[in-house]
Amino acid sequence: MRINNNMSAVITNKQLLRTENNLTKSMERLSSGLKINHAKDNPAGMAISNKMQAQIDALDRASSNASDGTSVLQIADGALNETSAILQRMRELSVQAANGTNSLEDKQAIQDEIEALKDEVNRISKDTEYNSKSLLDGSLDTRVYTDNANVSRVNVSDYVNPGKYEINIKTAATKATDTATDVGINSTGTGAIGASGTISINGSSVDIDANDTMAEVYEKIRAAAEVGEAEMKTDDGTFTGLQASRYGSSAALVITFSGKEGVSTTKDFATALGYTTDLTTDAKTGTMTYDAAKAGNSGTDAEVELSVGKVIAGTTDTSIFSNTATVATDGNRVTITDRDGFSMSFLAKEGKTGKTVFDVTDIGNMTLHIGANEHQNMDVRIQEISCETLYIDDLDVTTVTGADRAISALDDAIAMVSDARSKIGAYENRLEYATSSLDTFEENMTDAMSRLTDVDMAEEMTNYTQYNVLQQAGVSVLSQANDLPQNVLSLLQ
C-alpha cells in the first residue's frame, strides 16, 4: 500500500477531467445550437460554413435587389399605361378632326387639346422617377454618339449590337417648290392687288379681292399656306413663292387659281400673284393649276448609303452593318432594318450631307445585380418615351391632311409604346422567376449549411446525459479513491 502516490485517485481524476471537458462541449453545443463553436471543433467545416454563409447573405440581398428592380419596372409600366391612354385619346381626336363637318375653328379647338396632351406625354417622360432616378427620359436607354451634326433623334432597338455603324447621306431631302416671281406682295405693301379670285393651296382656299392691299394678300396667302401644309418663301418680307412644309416626295404642292368672273380672268389673277409658268388649264372650269410634281419640282427623299464592312476613315474601326441591312427613307426620316429585330432610325438635318458614324454603346442601361457573385447581372433598357422620340411632336390636325397623317403617326406611336411595355413586362417576368430562384437557392443553401453547422439536439442530449452520469460517477469514485490511504492507519494501530 502506498500513500505518496494515490494512483487510483490520479486515474479517476484524469477520467473525471476528460468527462468534464466533454460535458462542457456538450453543454456549449446545446446552449448555442451549433455543432461548430470554435475553429478547433471542425477546421474544414468552419471554412466551408463561412463561405456558405457569405453565399446565403448575398442571395438574400440579391433577392431584394430583384424585388427593387421589379418595383422600378412597375412604376415605368404604370406611367406608360397612362401614356398609352393619352395616345389613344389623341388618335380619337385625330379621327374626329378628319371629318369634313368640322370648321377650321373646330379643328383648332381639337388641336388645342392635342397640344395639351403632348405636353402631358412629355411631362410623364420627364417626371417619372424611382428614388430620384428618371425612368422614361432616356437616362436608362442605350447611348448612341455621332461624330457630326448630320443627324438627330437617333433611336436604336434592343437588337443593335454595340459597335460603330457608318452611313453616308449622299443627297439631302428637299421640299416641293413652285416657280412664282416677285410681284411686290409684301407684309407692308399698301397698293391694291388689282385682281380678284380664289387661290387654293393643297386644298386650303382663300378669296382675294382686287381692292385688297399687298399686305392683306400676303396675310391671306400665309394663312392659307399654313392650313395647306405649305410655307411662304420670302425675301426681306416679300412673297417670292411657296414650298411644301414637309420634306420628301410624299409632300405635295398643288396651287389652283380661279379668277372672279366679270372682274379678273383666271390668267390675270394668277399673274397678279406671280404665277405665269408651268400652269395647266382645266377646259371645263377654266381654273389654272400649278402642280410641283408635274412641273418637275417635287420634293425628294434623302438618299442614304450604308458602309458595310468598310474601315471608317481616320480610324482602325470597321463599320459593322450587315450586307442584308436595308434602308427606307421618307423625307429626312431614315429607317435602317435588318434580321433578328435590328432597327435604327434617325432624322437627317436639313440640307446636311456627308458621312456619319453611329457609335452604339452598352452605356446607359440600368444594371441589376441579381446573383450572389460578381458579374451576375441583368441589364434593363427603357427607351425614352416622349413626343420627339415617338415622332408626334409636329402633329397638327388643322392642316388639310394633318388629321390623316396624325392617325398614321399615332398608330406608330401606340405600337412603339406597346413594344416598350411588352419589354418591361418581359423584364418583370424574368425578375419574378429570378426572385423565386434566388429564394429557393437560399433555402437549399441554408439547409445544407444547417446540416454542417447545426447540432442534432436529440443526439447531443444523449451525449450530455452520458457525460453527466459519468461525471457524477467519477466524483463518487474519486471520493472513494481519496479514502483508500486512510486504510494505512489501521496498520499503525
Side-chain angles (χ1 to χ4, degrees), residues 36 38-50:
I36 303 175
H38 305 282
K40 65 180 181 178
D41 295 339
N42 185 349
M46 182 201 66
I48 295 171
S49 67
N50 283 340

Side-chain angles (χ1 to χ4, degrees), residues 342-365:
F342 181 103
S343 177
M344 179 184 295
S345 65
F346 62 89
L347 283 181
K349 290 193 174 179
E350 299 179 4
K352 297 291 185 178
T353 60
K355 291 186 176 181
T356 296
V357 177
F358 299 117
D359 187 2
V360 180
T361 72
D362 54 4
I363 302 171
N365 297 341

Side-chain angles (χ1 to χ4, degrees), residues 331-343:
N332 57 350
R333 181 176 176 178
V334 181
T335 303
I336 304 168
T337 57
D338 202 351
R339 298 172 300 178
D340 301 325
F342 181 103
S343 177

Side-chain angles (χ1 to χ4, degrees), residues 196 258-260 263-270:
S196 299
S258 177
K260 189 173 182 181
V263 179
S264 304
T265 66
T266 298
K267 184 176 181 180
D268 290 339
F269 178 64

Side-chain angles (χ1 to χ4, degrees), residues 69 84 90 144 146 180 188 202 276 331 344 412 418 432:
S84 182
M90 292 171 69
V144 181
T146 58
T188 58
N202 287 336
T276 58
M344 179 184 295
D412 292 341
S418 297
E432 287 182 4

Side-chain angles (χ1 to χ4, degrees), residues 112-141:
D112 290 342
E113 182 176 351
I114 289 177
E115 291 296 331
L117 293 176
K118 287 197 292 186
D119 290 341
E120 181 60 16
V121 170
N122 288 331
R123 188 201 66 79
I124 292 174
S125 174
K126 180 181 177 181
D127 294 348
T128 302
E129 296 180 344
Y130 175 86
N131 191 29
S132 75
K133 182 185 288 292
S134 297
L135 304 182
L136 301 177
D137 67 345
S139 300
L140 304 182
D141 199 1

